[in-house]
Amino acid sequence: GAVVSQHPSRVICKSGTSVKIECRSLDFQATTMFWYRQFPKQSLMLMATSNEGSKATYEQGVEKDKFLINHASLTLSTLTVTSAHPEDSSFYICSATYGQGAFGYTFGSGTRLTVV
Amino acid sequence: SQQGEEDPQALSIQEGENATMNCSYKTSINNLQWYRQNSGRGLVHLILIRSNEREKHSGRLRVTLDTSKKSSSLLITASRAADTASYFCATPQGGSEKLVFGKGTKLTVNP
């Protein structure tokens, strides 16, 4: 089946540093990937849509300069949290569509970011 | 933006009992999907029901969809402790591929 590999699963970084999260589609080509953020005991909030070879589309209220998204190939999308602050601590999950139409979605296992 | 609203927010049952979770949504949809999330993990796709379907089964899962009421339900029969997780409904936003998630139901199945 379609598998998305997300790394790292956990990361702790110092305030002011940048962190890169990778999301790879292992056995299919993902022209579109999605990045979500999830606060404890809350639902997933869509941050941005990442399209291969073009700029990401950000949801309202998401700072594009803070959350840099790059989708350089059909199998890799990255989310870089720049100049991280404690309020950026969260669970980040990527997702990709596969198959015909938009009916197939597969999710990465998530990245727990803690900014200290 | 949140599309779906699940209820209850939390549900605690004994092993062997059935668990029913409901989801309501606001706009017209092409399909509605249910996902499971174990604590601190990614999402696992459970079942998809299309807008022209009213009921769908997969193992111990039964999903219904009522487009007139803009609601869906997920029934887990003969629950097991391993079913303990959060369950989310999700719908594609408008005509796009963006999935919008409901707030989720946290299910606890006590052994």
Side-chain angles (χ1 to χ4, degrees):
Chain A
V3 176
V4 167
S5 176
Q6 184 171 346
H7 293 280
S9 58
R10 291 177 181 272
V11 58
I12 300 173
C13 70
K14 291 185 177 180
S15 191
T17 62
S18 296
V19 174
K20 179 184 284 188
I21 302 169
E22 291 190 351
C23 193
R24 293 181 184 272
S25 57
L26 297 185
D27 48 3
F28 67 102
Q29 293 182 332
T31 54
T32 303
M33 286 191 177
F34 304 91
W35 288 94
Y36 292 85
R37 181 175 183 176
Q38 185 179 32
F39 289 107
K41 299 183 180 181
Q42 294 190 25
S43 187
L44 283 74
M45 297 296 295
L46 181 65
M47 298 175 65
T49 302
S50 165
N51 295 295
E52 185 268 336
S54 64
K55 290 184 179 180
T57 303
Y58 291 81
E59 295 299 301
Q60 191 172 10
V62 178
E63 299 177 61
K64 58 182 68 176
D65 293 332
K66 166 166 275 297
F67 299 101
L68 299 180
I69 292 172
N70 184 281
H71 196 153
S73 77
L74 286 171
T75 59
L76 175 64
S77 177
T78 61
L79 167 67
T80 301
V81 183
T82 63
S83 186
H85 291 284
E87 57 264 31
D88 298 325
S89 297
S90 189
F91 192 60
Y92 294 87
I93 308 176
C94 64
S95 170
T97 57
Y98 65 95
Q100 291 189 342
F103 289 173
Y105 295 83
T106 186
F107 285 78
S109 55
T111 297
R112 171 76 58 196
L113 171 63
T114 303
V115 184
V116 298
Chain B
S1 62
Q2 294 292 329
Q3 166 77 307
E5 296 277 341
E6 282 98 331
D7 75 270
Q9 291 187 0
L11 179 62
S12 182
I13 59 174
Q14 295 299 122
E15 210 164 23
E17 294 180 341
N18 296 340
T20 299
M21 289 158 270
N22 303 296
C23 166
S24 61
Y25 56 93
K26 298 176 182 177
T27 62
S28 61
I29 59 171
N30 291 322
N31 67 81
L32 185 143
Q33 304 171 34
W34 284 91
Y35 289 84
R36 183 185 74 206
Q37 183 182 36
N38 288 81
S39 182
R41 307 292 292 275
L43 272 72
V44 174
H45 179 264
L46 295 176
I47 198 166
L48 178 150
I49 186 165
R50 299 170 194 258
S51 58
N52 61 353
E53 297 176 312
R54 291 295 168 260
E55 188 171 312
K56 202 162 183 178
H57 297 254
S58 177
R60 293 184 295 113
L61 306 180
R62 172 177 168 250
V63 167
T64 62
L65 179 65
D66 187 335
T67 53
S68 66
K69 295 181 180 179
K70 291 187 168 57
S71 67
S72 173
S73 68
L74 170 66
L75 168 67
I76 303 175
T77 61
S79 64
R80 305 167 183 169
D83 295 328
T84 294
S86 291
Y87 292 83
F88 296 91
C89 67
T91 56
Q93 186 179 56
S96 74
E97 295 181 318
K98 300 178 187 179
L99 268 188
V100 178
F101 285 83
K103 294 182 178 179
T105 293
K106 183 173 173 58
L107 173 66
T108 302
V109 181
N110 301 298

